[in-house]
Amino acid sequence: MIKKINLIFATFFGVGFIKIIPGTFASLFTSIIFFYLFRLYISIEHFLFLCLAMILVFTYSLYGIKTIENEFKQKDAKQIVIDEVIGQSIPILFIEYIAYLQTQSFGADLYLYIVSFFLFRFFDILKPFPISYFDKNYKNSFGILFDDVLAGVYTSVALALLVKFF
């Protein structure tokens, strides 16, 4: 039973089973979900809870991925997309926090979500150092997750530079 729950969790409710570019779809769905959440429900108290929830998702993912790694032929199977959800959420939380600091309300501009999505996919696919180091040298749940966390951090830094200079 727990293995089935972890499979649903790690594939982001089945998004990982989409035949083509499941990681991209997971990032896209994450962006869409957060975009609407921040427009409809999120206050500063919710934001802090959401940040904590994402930390808990990361922590549980370390365990959840480990329990289902034998379900697939590869260690970092394309069906496991919870790492993209976590990685994409980092720059989204960042841009929403910046929006809040500037306007005292959430709801960052749509173009920031679009740029965030494309930058995250860029860094996740290209894997510049040290992302590539973790991707190649840690063939476990930590490596699966941490390369996407780093791609999220790279995306956040790139977004900060874009916002500052443009």
Side-chain angles (χ1 to χ4, degrees):
M1 178 67 170
I2 194 73
K3 199 172 194 178
K4 188 167 186 105
I5 291 170
N6 288 340
L7 185 65
I8 293 167
F9 177 78
T11 62
F12 193 48
F13 304 98
V15 172
F17 292 113
I18 295 174
K19 295 286 184 204
I20 58 167
I21 56 173
T24 300
F25 277 108
S27 294
L28 179 63
F29 292 154
T30 301
S31 297
I32 292 168
I33 291 166
F34 274 85
F35 182 79
Y36 284 106
L37 269 178
F38 275 102
R39 268 144 193 77
L40 300 174
Y41 302 109
I42 304 298
S43 66
I44 191 64
E45 295 83 15
H46 295 125
F47 180 77
L48 297 173
F49 177 77
L50 190 56
C51 291
L52 177 61
M54 291 312 300
I55 292 169
L56 292 173
V57 167
F58 173 83
T59 304
Y60 185 79
S61 295
L62 291 168
Y63 165 74
I65 292 170
K66 187 175 175 66
T67 64
I68 62 158
E69 64 188 359
N70 294 330
E71 295 290 314
F72 307 107
K73 293 177 183 173
Q74 307 159 300
K75 282 284 188 190
D76 189 359
K78 67 178 186 166
Q79 293 89 349
I80 298 173
V81 294
I82 194 66
D83 52 331
E84 274 80 12
V85 173
I86 294 165
Q88 184 68 68
S89 70
I90 293 168
I92 291 172
L93 292 172
F94 174 75
I95 61 175
E96 287 294 349
Y97 183 69
I98 296 302
Y100 182 83
L101 290 177
Q102 293 174 344
T103 66
Q104 296 303 299
S105 65
F106 290 107
D109 291 331
L110 177 60
Y111 80 89
L112 288 172
Y113 274 79
I114 293 169
V115 171
S116 167
F117 169 77
F118 283 108
L119 281 173
F120 175 74
R121 295 309 301 151
F122 173 79
F123 288 124
D124 189 32
I125 293 167
L126 244 55
K127 299 189 185 317
F129 184 81
I131 298 171
S132 58
Y133 175 82
F134 286 96
D135 183 57
K136 290 176 187 168
N137 295 306
Y138 290 88
K139 297 296 183 186
N140 54 22
S141 58
F142 175 77
I144 291 169
L145 291 165
F146 200 65
D147 71 316
D148 290 273
V149 167
L150 288 176
V153 171
Y154 273 43
T155 302
S156 297
V157 170
L159 284 167
L161 293 171
L162 286 171
V163 167
K164 181 173 176 84
F165 294 111
F166 298 104

